[in-house]
Structure formats: structure tokens, C-alpha cells
Amino acid sequence: MPGNERRNSPRKNCIVPLRFRVLTDPDHPWEELTASHEISGLKGSIYSATLRGEAVNLSERGVYFTSKEKLSVGELLEMYFTLPRELTGRGPEQVRCSARVVHVEDRADLGALGIGAIVERFEPIVTSHNWAN
């Protein structure tokens, strides 16, 4: 790997809108989150409100995105976005991932924060989910 690059999987530049929620109970098991989401929508107090951002680059293990929302290192996120054809090699694919914030930087040039998150779990969305603000 060149220089001080520590990533094992290459980043792909993209501009992809995304929605995310901060998981307010980081010890809550992913399987239970999936089950409660599938059955009755996002209920209870384990989630924050739906927030918006824009992915700037993606890899198998991480995402760098911008958002006007203030996030902190260590926060667990549940993210939803559509991978474009250029990244999948097939058609667009809706995905859901669990990611943990690893760095936050002020991006005054964009009027937003730049947020780096490591993906802990990644899965395709099989059914349509309706989780509006």
C-alpha cells in the first residue's frame, strides 16, 4: 500500500444520497433491530430521527459522507442508500449497513461535516422499507 494508506479495500468515489439513524442503544443486537424493523417499522427509543447525508466515497469496509448533522466518534449508525450501477457492476442495489463513526471533520468548503465510518455489517435490502421522517 502506498505511503500511509491503511485501507485494505479500495475506495470508490461517488455522490450517493443516504439516510441514516443514530442507534441510541449500541448494545442492541442487529438481529433484533432487523426483526423489529421488518415487522413494525422503526419503533421504540433505540433510534434517533431519520437524518440525511451524501456519501462521497465507499468501500467494502467504510463510507465517507457529508452531513449537516453533528455526529461523534464512536456513535453507531444504521444507514440506507442505493449503490449505483457503476459500483455494483449490475443494476442499482439498495443496501442497509451498520457503521461506527471513526472520525469527524469540519468541511467548511461544503458547509457540512465530513464523517468517516467503518462498516460493521452490510446487507442488501430485499423488501421495500417505508421509514420517513
Side-chain angles (χ1 to χ4, degrees):
M1 287 179 265
N4 62 359
E5 180 64 50
R6 297 177 296 160
R7 292 174 182 86
N8 291 328
S9 55
R11 291 182 286 174
K12 305 284 187 185
N13 292 330
C14 61
I15 302 297
V16 176
L18 58 84
R19 294 174 296 161
F20 64 96
R21 291 180 184 262
V22 176
L23 182 60
T24 57
D25 179 3
D27 295 325
H28 206 88
W30 175 270
E31 291 76 16
E32 287 183 31
L33 294 175
T34 302
S36 67
H37 185 174
E38 299 281 341
I39 296 168
S40 59
L42 299 171
K43 64 179 183 177
S45 61
I46 59 171
Y47 292 102
S48 71
T50 300
L51 306 171
R52 299 193 184 277
E54 187 172 76
V56 176
N57 65 56
L58 298 164
S59 76
E60 291 176 17
R61 297 181 165 219
V63 58
Y64 180 76
F65 66 102
T66 59
S67 180
K68 294 184 189 256
E69 305 302 329
K70 175 123 175 74
L71 297 177
S72 300
V73 170
E75 286 186 301
L76 184 61
L77 308 176
E78 184 175 59
M79 305 175 81
Y80 290 83
F81 51 92
T82 301
L83 292 171
R85 179 180 318 259
E86 299 79 39
L87 297 181
T88 65
R90 303 174 301 275
E93 186 175 327
Q94 292 184 348
V95 295
R96 169 185 179 216
C97 70
S98 170
R100 188 164 307 273
V101 176
V102 292
H103 70 89
V104 179
E105 60 188 0
D106 185 10
R107 292 294 308 264
D109 59 324
L110 299 175
L113 293 175
I115 301 144
I118 187 165
V119 173
E120 296 181 351
R121 187 160 177 169
F122 211 106
E123 65 184 30
I125 297 175
V126 179
T127 59
S128 176
H129 294 290
N130 183 11
W131 58 292
N133 279 331

